[in-house]
Each structure stands twice: as C-alpha cells, then as structure tokens.
Amino acid sequence: MNPEIFELLSDRGSLTDRFKQVMGVTPRLTRLNQGRQLASWKERQMLDIRPREWALVREIKMGKGEQNWLFARTIVPMQTLAGPARRIAFLNHAPIGKILFGRNGAARTSLEVQLTTQIPQTVAEMGIVTHFPLWQRCSIFRFSSGPLMVTELFLPDCPIYSGDNQQHCDFKKDKIDLISRSMNVASADSEQAKRDGLENKTVINNASENTLSKNSSSTQNTLHRNRTGPDYAA
C-alpha cells in the first residue's frame, strides 16, 4: 500500500500538519462556506440533532496553487458551541485543527474511512469530477459541551492518487486490518472518550465492486450538502 495513503488515512492528529510532513509543503486553506444551516439526515443521526434544528456548518478546501487536495465539511450542533468549541465560529481561513488539537481541545471518539464515488454538491459546484473512487474520512470529536463531526474528502488532485489512479482501490483485508490496528492504538483520545462514557470505534468500509460500478446508486455513508438553510460565504 502506498505509504502516503496509509499515513494520511490513519493519522489521528492534525491533517494539515500531516500534509506538511508527507507533501513537503504547507497547504493553502480556503473557507468556502460557514454559517447556520440544517444538517443532512445522516448528520442529524450521527450528532443527535433534532429535525429543523440549526447547526454551524463550515466547508473548506485545501491544496496548493490551482490544485485542490482536500474538501472538508464540519457540522457543529448549537449546544456544542456553548463551550470551548465556540471558537470555531470565529475561524476564517485557519485550520480547525488548531482548536481540535490545541489546549482544551476535543477527544476523537469515532473515525470512519471509506472509498466513495459520490461527490458533495459543493465539490461539484467547484467543477471537480472524478473517474475513480476517492478516499473519505469521517470523524466524531467531543468537547465537554457536546460532539461535532468532520468529514474529509481527498480530491482527485491530491498527490496520494499519483501513478495508477486505480491502484489505491486494491485494498485487501490485511491492509484494512493494518490501518484498523493503527487507528485503535491506545491514545489520549481514547482514554478521554472512556472517561466521557463513550466507546471509541473505528470503521473501515471498502466499497464493493457494485458500489464502485458506474451504475451503482447505493454508495453508503456519503454526506450530501443540505441547502435548505441559509448559506454564508466567506
């Protein structure tokens, strides 16, 4: 397995810092949207948000020059903003990792990794298309005031797809187990989660041949951007 893919997918710290180490450059972060919106059905289920209840939604892209490497969407329930997480509401073009992994930061209580063929609406509006599955991570973090969710989609221009674009799809069970073990190493995050009465879990989903087929309509665990609420651009 390409070590760059392994390092990015299994990293439990700041993805921005990992990009610096792996790619050798400091990626540029651009805030695309930030403001109160209605979360999608899955986001509500994951974060226990009631229907018609607002959440803070933040969307960013990260890359180098004209290349877009990463799209990230953060969902913060309003009650979570009552504590240290309220600093997220004042982020501009700074990475969220400064808050998640800084002083009075959050505990990562869940990390899900998968290949997906679905593109969020915001990414499609950027004119980005793909002819091969993309890696996606979905993390749940918990502050003392409540949880939030960060979904990270590695875009086609990301250097981890260099060479044979389909090579990263050859993802056998032993490699899945290897990443799973790496993610489940005892850490301060998991210990904090236990103290909070939460179960630390890691889910690795490899898309099936049917899911990766062009005719597939059932790719699992893909977040769709909900546009029914007001949208605030940077």
Side-chain angles (χ1 to χ4, degrees), residues 103-156:
R103 185 177 181 181
N104 298 321
R108 192 196 305 263
T109 60
S110 175
L111 175 59
E112 177 181 297
V113 181
Q114 70 171 146
L115 284 167
T116 180
T117 57
Q118 305 249 347
I119 298 297
Q121 184 171 342
T122 301
V123 174
E125 291 174 352
M126 293 164 56
I128 296 176
V129 296
T130 181
H131 303 290
F132 53 90
L134 302 178
W135 285 110
Q136 178 175 274
R137 305 191 334 163
C138 182
S139 300
I140 301 293
F141 292 90
R142 188 171 187 88
F143 285 91
S144 57
S145 54
L148 64 83
M149 180 165 65
V150 179
T151 302
E152 300 155 322
L153 180 68
F154 295 85
L155 300 175

Side-chain angles (χ1 to χ4, degrees), residues 18-71:
R18 175 58 66 180
F19 265 125
K20 293 178 184 178
Q21 296 174 12
V22 175
M23 308 304 179
V25 297
T26 300
R28 178 182 178 182
L29 185 150
T30 303
R31 191 185 69 176
L32 301 172
N33 300 292
Q34 181 164 319
R36 292 196 310 161
Q37 293 184 26
L38 296 178
S40 70
W41 179 86
K42 182 189 175 181
E43 291 165 347
R44 295 200 309 270
Q45 294 295 310
M46 296 283 287
L47 296 172
D48 197 25
I49 299 174
R50 291 174 295 182
R52 299 184 181 180
E53 182 178 322
W54 296 110
L56 177 69
V57 179
R58 170 181 165 89
E59 296 179 323
I60 64 97
K61 67 177 181 178
M62 188 182 298
K64 175 186 177 183
E66 297 299 319
Q67 293 184 332
N68 296 307
W69 293 350
L70 182 84
F71 168 79

